[in-house]
Structures are given as C-alpha cells and as structure tokens.
C-alpha cells in the first residue's frame, strides 16, 4: 500500500509538472528570458575583467583565469560625495584610474540617450559630476585620461580634469533640427549604427568630429497624445507634435563635413575631403599616429567605400583604400575596421563572402586572412606578438557560429567546443576569452576559456531557467531544409506541439523577418518571434499550432550572391519564397494546407503584406506589425542601399509596394502600428489601410497610442501578443 501511495503521489506530481503552460503575460513580462552578464570589460593587465553586479550597485573585478571575484572597483555604498542608489552603466578611463558612472539614462532614439555622468576616482573613492550644465551624451576620455569630451544640445564640450574639471565649449553652432556636432543625425544613427561622431587624437591634443548640417533635410511630424504609461499631461486637452528631420528615399540628406579642434590653440580646421556632395561619412577614427585621422566615406548608392587618411593640422586628405560592389557595401566594412600602428584589418565581400583582409597603414594589401565559402561574422582581434588573428565565422553551417584563430601560416583552429552560436570577448593580452554560447535547446551559457579554447570556469549557465523550462509544456524544436520550385534550397525551423501526433492535421503559423542580411533561422536560444527561446511559439503550440520560420532569398549567412539577389526589387523574391514555404508545408502529412498564416514585425510585417498579395492565395490569415508599405516612405540610407532612389528605380519601388498591390490582397489581415513610430511612420499604415478601403478589402486594425517601433510600455506588449494570438485562433 505504501508503494502504491508513493507511486500515485509521484504520478500526480509528474502530471502537475507537465500541466504547467506558458501564458502570454509571462511572455510579455520576460518571465522565462535567459539571463546574461552586463557591462563586461577587459582590464589593462590582461588578467582581469570587470562587470556590473546584478543589482547595479557595484563594478566588480574578476579573474580571467578562475572567474572568481578579485575586488570591487566601485560601490555605491562606499563611494563618497553622492546620493546614488544604483547606476546604469560605466566607462573606464584608459589608465583605469577613473570611471564615468552613468545615471538617469533617458533614451532618444534606438542608440542615443542622455544621461547624468559622475567621475569616480578609484583611489580616493570620490564622485564628482562630469558637468553641472545639464545631461550629457556620448562622453569620451582622452587617451591620457586627463580630459573628457561630451555632447550637449548638439555641441561638443571639453572637461579638463587637471584644471579643476574646468569646462569649455568647443562648438557653438549646434541647434536642434539644424546642426549636429559630434553626434549623428537620425538616419545615420539608425542605419549606420553609431551614436558618437568624434574622437581624440592619440596624443590627446586634438579632437576630430563630424558636423551634420540637416537644415535642408525635410521635416516629419507625428502627433503626441496624453496617453498612459507614461502619461503626458501637457497634451490632455490638445495633442502635441514631435517634429524632426527624416530624409525619405530620394530626398536631401544632411551635408556632412569633418573638422578638427586643436585643444591648446583652440583652432578649428575643416578637412579637405574629396567626396561626393551627396556622399556619406559613416565613421571617423584617429589611428595610433596623431597625424593620421582615418575618414571613411560612401557614395550615395553605397556601392563605393573609401578610406582617407587626413592630417588633422594641414587638413590634407589622401585616399588609401577603396572597396566596390555592383550592389552595395555592407556595414561591417566600416563598423568592424581595426587600426594598428602599422596595419589595418578590414572586412570585404569582394570574393563573394565576408572575409578579413590585412593592409599596411598606407593602404597596401598584405594578404587575405580568411578564405572559403563561409562568412566571417565578427573580428575579435589580432595578437600582434604571436601574429594570430581571432574571429567568429559560420564555417560549419550558415545556422551556426564558432570562435576561430588563424596563425601567420594560415593554420586555422576552432576554439569553441559547443555546437550552436558562440561569441567571444578576449582579454587585452589575448591569453583568455569569455565565450557566450547558446543553441535552440540551450539557454545562454557563459564560460571562461584560455586562448586554445580550454574551459577554465563557468560564469553563468541559466540553471534556474532550465529547471523552470523543464516544468513547462515546451514544443519540439527542429531545423529543416527544402527546395523551392526554382531549385533554391531554404533553411527553416519548426516547433511542434509537445503532444504532437503525426496522424493529425495541424494549422501552421509562419513568422519571419526576411530583411536583407538578416537571419532568423539560427541555432541559438534567441529562436522565436520575440528572441526569447520560442516562448510565444510555445504558447501557440499549446493551442494546437505548428510554428515555422524560413529564411528566404535576401537573408544573410550564405554569401553575397544569395543575399544581394533581391537588389532593386525588395519584397518580390522574399514574398515568393514565403509562399513557396506555405506550399511545401501543405505537402506534409501532418499540415492542413488550407490553414496557414503568416506574420512579422517591421520588414517582417512588410513581407507578410507582400506574401499575401503575390497571387497564389497561400495564406488564410496574416498579421503585419509596424510594416513599411511603400519604400518611398522610408529613409534614404536603408532604402537606397537596396533600391537606389525612386527616380532611378520607379519600377522596383512599384513592384515592392504593398500599397500598389492592395487589390491583390488575399486572406484575413490584421494591421498593427504605433502612432509615435519614428522609424516606420504610422503614415505607412494609414496610407495602406486607405488603399485597402478603396480596393474593397476588409481588414482588422490595431493602433497603439504614443508607441514607437518597439510597441511596448505598460500593458501594451501583453495586449499586442493577445491580439495576435486571438486573431490567428479566430481565423485559422
């Protein structure tokens, strides 16, 4: 009898465990989100690194060799002269004697923010404000650690630490919606991926900066209402408006120029840069030679990338390297470039795949460092003493990333040992690295390793999350490939209900992004529509759906030809491939081909609309969130990179416009958009919905007040997830 009671107790426990289900409230709140480690930064000695404590009250020093705590560099409890309870982030001075403590962070756009910074003296534990004149942006220590430059109200300021933290203003002409000094305008920040546009010379005597004159860029406005979370009381009676410079495809961009400021003489010079009047300057960076300022430029089509070396005093600029493409140059060419005293390491797709190249500092090609039909994903550094290059690549599979080293003789060694997605942060002396790993079935695992790949310690394994997941009704995750009718092989993932029955017919919901160079089909924990390990998918699987994602033509990881085949005709091949996916799924014995839905966010929302309008009627229902509906409404840098201007490529713009295809829409549709989307404007939704009305097409629509492109805040994300789920449940 005792055994029987024990058995039934165990059985009821197991049933209870299996019965736990994922709720949308948990998904929206990030209840099952994998933990990571924040603020990791290698220290000068090569033996230690720093990180922010989980409660954001300390900056802790750890050993690279053991992963054990080796001291505390900053603690709000022991720091003097302040009332801080916590902090947001930090910046170490080059000599590590000072730390900038970031507080009161307020976002502006995707990468930009203002904050109140304090200078912390590690030796005497005192905190002093960086400036009393108001919040700051993008502060930067000089190489000698004696000065800090920052931006406020579109002007550059300089604080001299050896002179009682005296503050001076370097530029005077900065003005909102007119001139920006040292920080990028909206489109540069969004599409070139940076927030600081100034740098110190190696001898700390000069500052170089990009000046953005956006006075000729057209204005865009959207209404702001009172709303909730947060409520804007000033708009309780009459709505307000947010107005900013946003260059749409074919319109004027900011006029950009590079200037240098001599700190001692206070002389400002404009660099004599020979570039197209409508060209771009996506980066500037001083080299280790104070007489060499690297200026990177692109033509407006972004098909020609040039590196100039400028003398910051004479203003003479000399072109040293050029890279060209028939279509466009991708961001890693200028975002991941590295300058050394005698050399430059950069990325290029010139042989059809993204690889590393070594040049002299004068611009002569020394060698191609990596070769093969795979893509280098990130350059991790060059140990010059050992002459070894470190990087990550997808050499094993477009779905997976590993850490590699290659020596002077070209011998390549894989360092990471786990199959999935790996990234690395190396110590300053390249003796150690921190490896961050995940796979579709393994949440984030962070380990310490030596430079031969041997694991020394585990820093985080998300054991608690794994225990929680074990109690949930999680779907089965699997990868698959299939060939389209035109013979193109596509990669996908599929999530089946935990109680999957191969003899049943299931409806399918396809989620995708599909944008140029993007990848959703990756062996990583971030699988799923909200990059959370597929928790939204788990909820829908529990409701009886199979969840699918396929990367069509134009996506990344498979070389330039596959990625750039959509050039000038965005949306056409992408839509064809999603429809091909639906037809393929319909041939599987456990799929009900008459009940297939599709959805996506941003470019994924756009592809949803294009896929439901490509003519085959493959989809019974779809949801488009924050979707562009005509590329004429979107910004210059992104749109023209893939489409050129509307004047040059009207046919391509028309072919890739859901508005132009509105009469061809098939299936039930839900449009979702935020009214304060500064990226994909609500205009896209408004104009497309009008086109559907005039075409006699019925549709559903959900608008979120005062929400930007991320559509979150308060209960918003939970509401959105329920809206999407309910729509598919009702229509599939």
């Amino acid at each position: 009898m005792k055994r029987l009671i024990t058995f039934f107790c165990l059985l009821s426990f197991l049933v209870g465990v299996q019965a736990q289900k994922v709720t949308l409230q948990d998904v929206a709140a990030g209840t099952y989100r994998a933990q990571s480690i924040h603020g990791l930064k290698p220290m000068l000695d090569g033996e230690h690194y720093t990180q922010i404590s989980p409660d954001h009250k300390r900056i802790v020093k750890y050993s690279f060799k053991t992963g054990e705590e080796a001291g505390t560099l900053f603690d709000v409890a022991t720091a003097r002269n302040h009332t801080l309870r916590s902090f947001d982030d930090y910046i170490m001075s080059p000599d590590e004697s000072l730390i900038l403590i970031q507080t009161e962070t307020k976002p502006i756009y995707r990468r930009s923010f203002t904050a109140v910074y304090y200078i912390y003296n590690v030796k005497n534990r005192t905190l002093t404000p960086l400036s009393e004149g108001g919040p700051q942006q993008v502060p930067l220590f000089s190489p000698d650690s004696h000065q800090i430059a920052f931006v406020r109200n579109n002007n550059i300021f300089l604080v001299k630490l050896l002179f009682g933290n005296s503050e001076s203003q370097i530029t005077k002409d900065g003005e909102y919606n007119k001139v920006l000094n040292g920080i990028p305008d909206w489109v540069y920040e969004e599409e070139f991926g940076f927030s600081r546009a100034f740098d110190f010379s190696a001898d700390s005597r000069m500052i170089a900066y990009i000046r953005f004159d956006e006075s000729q860029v057209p204005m865009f406005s959207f209404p702001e209402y009172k709303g909730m979370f947060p409520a804007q009381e000033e708009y309780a009676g009459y709505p307000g408006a947010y107005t900013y410079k946003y260059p749409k495809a074919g319109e004027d961009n900011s006029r950009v120029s590079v200037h240098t400021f001599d700190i001692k003489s206070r002389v400002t010079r404009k660099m004599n840069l020979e570039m197209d009047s409508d060209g771009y300057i996506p980066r500037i960076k001083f080299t280790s030679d104070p007489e060499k300022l690297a200026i990177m430029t692109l033509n407006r089509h972004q098909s020609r990338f040039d590196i100039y070396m400028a003398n910051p005093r004479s203003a003479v600029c000399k072109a040293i390297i050029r890279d060209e493409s028939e279509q466009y140059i991708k961001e890693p060419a200028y975002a991941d470039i590295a300058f050394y005293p005698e050399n430059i390491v950069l990325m290029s797709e010139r042989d059809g795949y993204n690889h590393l190249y070594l040049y002299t500092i004068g611009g002569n090609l020394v060698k191609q460092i990596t070769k093969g039909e795979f893509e280098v994903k990130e350059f991790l550094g060059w140990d010059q003493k050992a002459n070894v290059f470190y990087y990550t690549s997808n050499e094993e599979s477009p779905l997976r990333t590993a850490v590699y080293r290659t020596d002077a003789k070209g011998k390549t060694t894989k360092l990471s040992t786990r199959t999935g997605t790996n990234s690395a942060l190396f110590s300053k002396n390249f003796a150690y690295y921190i490896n961050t790993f995940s796979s579709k079935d393994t949440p984030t695992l962070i380990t310490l390793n030596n430079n031969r790949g041997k694991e020394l310690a585990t820093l985080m394994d998300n054991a608690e999350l794994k225990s929680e997941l074990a109690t949930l009704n999680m779907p089965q995750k699997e990868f698959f490939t299939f060939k389209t009718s035109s013979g193109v092989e596509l990669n996908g993932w599929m999530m089946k209900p935990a109680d999957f029955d191969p003899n049943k017919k299931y409806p399918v919901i396809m989620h995708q992004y599909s944008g140029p160079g993007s990848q959703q089909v990756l062996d990583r924990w971030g699988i799923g529509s909200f990059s959370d390990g597929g928790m939204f998918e788990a909820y829908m699987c529990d409701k009886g759906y199979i969840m699918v994602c396929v990367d069509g033509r134009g996506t990344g990881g498979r070389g330039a030809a596959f990625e750039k085949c959509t050039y000038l005709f965005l949306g056409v091949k992408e839509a064809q491939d999603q429809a091909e996916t639906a037809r393929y799924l319909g041939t599987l014995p456990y799929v009900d081909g008459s009940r297939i839905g599709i959805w996506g966010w941003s470019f994924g929302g756009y592809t949803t609309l294009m896929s439901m309008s490509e003519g085959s009627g493959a989809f019974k229902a779809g949801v488009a969130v924050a979707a562009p509906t005509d590329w004429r409404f979107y910004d210059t840098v992104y749109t023209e990179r893939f489409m050129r201007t509307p004047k040059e490529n009207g046919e391509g713009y028309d072919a890739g416009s859901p508005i132009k295809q509105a009469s061809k829409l098939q299936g039930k549709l839900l449009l979702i958009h935020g009214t304060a989307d500064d990226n994909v404007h609500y205009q896209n939704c408004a104009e497309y919905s009008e086109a559907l009305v005039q075409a006699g097409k019925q549709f559903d629509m959900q608008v979120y007040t005062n929400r930007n492109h991320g559509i979150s805040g308060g209960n918003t994300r939970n509401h959105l997830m329920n809206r999407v789920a309910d729509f598919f449940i009702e229509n599939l």
Side-chain angles (χ1 to χ4, degrees), residues 426-691:
F426 273 85
S427 61
K428 295 286 187 181
N429 59 5
F430 292 98
Y432 312 96
Y433 71 93
I434 296 170
N435 192 99
T436 300
F437 163 81
S438 76
S439 71
K440 66 180 177 66
D441 297 315
T442 309
T444 305
L445 171 67
I446 303 176
T447 58
L448 274 178
N449 308 264
N450 66 19
N451 62 9
R452 295 290 175 175
K454 180 183 177 183
E455 286 188 10
L456 306 175
T458 298
L459 303 182
M460 175 172 285
D461 59 7
N462 273 291
E464 186 177 338
L465 174 61
K466 285 190 272 189
S467 295
E468 291 175 341
L469 294 173
T471 70
L472 298 176
N473 210 27
M474 290 298 290
Q476 304 169 30
K477 302 175 183 176
E478 57 191 60
F479 293 113
F480 68 94
T481 60
F482 76 98
K483 277 191 177 180
T484 67
S485 58
S486 55
V488 180
E489 189 171 89
L490 301 179
N491 298 319
W493 54 251
M494 180 181 294
M495 296 190 198
K496 298 173 181 174
D499 59 354
F500 175 73
D501 180 352
N503 297 311
K504 285 179 62 177
K505 291 272 191 180
Y506 291 87
V508 173
I509 300 172
M510 292 165 47
H511 177 267
Q512 42 67 50
Y513 181 75
S514 301
S518 67
Q519 277 186 274
Q520 303 299 109
V521 184
L522 290 167
D523 192 359
R524 63 176 180 180
W525 185 249
I527 201 169
S529 51
F530 292 98
S531 299
D532 57 3
M535 302 312 293
F536 179 74
E537 283 72 15
Y539 175 84
M540 296 305 294
C541 283
D542 196 58
K543 297 294 182 183
Y545 295 86
I546 290 176
M547 308 300 285
V548 171
C549 178
V550 165
D551 281 339
R553 285 172 292 178
T555 56
R558 298 177 61 179
F562 186 86
E563 180 175 330
K564 296 178 179 180
C565 71
T566 60
Y567 187 60
L568 299 182
F569 286 90
L570 277 189
V572 177
K573 290 177 180 174
E574 297 93 325
Q576 291 171 355
D577 287 351
Q578 294 304 312
E580 288 265 9
T581 300
R583 287 191 287 273
Y584 161 74
L585 293 171
T587 67
L588 301 178
Y590 48 83
V591 168
D592 182 346
S594 68
R595 291 191 293 158
I596 297 180
I598 183 171
W599 81 288
W601 201 302
S602 195
F603 201 105
Y606 162 74
T607 305
T608 294
L609 299 178
M610 290 294 291
S611 300
M612 295 177 71
S613 309
E614 56 81 53
S616 69
F619 300 102
K620 187 179 181 184
V623 179
V625 185
T629 59
D630 192 307
W631 291 113
R632 294 171 178 87
F633 297 151
Y634 203 55
D635 73 60
T636 49
V637 176
Y638 184 91
T639 306
E640 294 173 17
R641 180 185 298 160
F642 311 116
M643 296 284 282
R644 299 195 175 183
T645 66
K647 188 175 181 181
E648 294 172 289
N649 182 29
E651 181 187 359
Y653 277 78
D654 287 347
S657 168
I659 290 177
K660 300 288 186 183
Q661 324 300 323
S663 63
K664 301 177 185 176
L665 179 75
Q666 294 176 278
K668 298 285 187 178
L669 173 65
L670 169 60
L671 288 175
I672 298 177
H673 221 105
T675 63
D677 193 331
D678 64 277
N679 187 346
V680 180
H681 301 138
Y682 178 70
Q683 174 188 21
N684 287 269
C685 185
E687 297 291 0
Y688 181 63
S689 64
E690 171 67 1

Side-chain angles (χ1 to χ4, degrees), residues 223 225 227 601 625-626 670-677 682 685 701-708 710-713 715-724:
Y225 305 95
W601 201 302
V625 185
L670 169 60
L671 288 175
I672 298 177
H673 221 105
T675 63
D677 193 331
Y682 178 70
C685 185
M701 193 162 158
Q702 177 69 56
V703 175
Y704 288 101
T705 303
N706 290 352
R707 300 306 170 194
N708 64 15
I711 312 183
S712 62
N715 188 51
T716 305
R717 182 58 65 84
N718 182 44
H719 187 280
L720 184 149
M721 288 181 172
N722 275 280
R723 189 79 167 91
V724 173

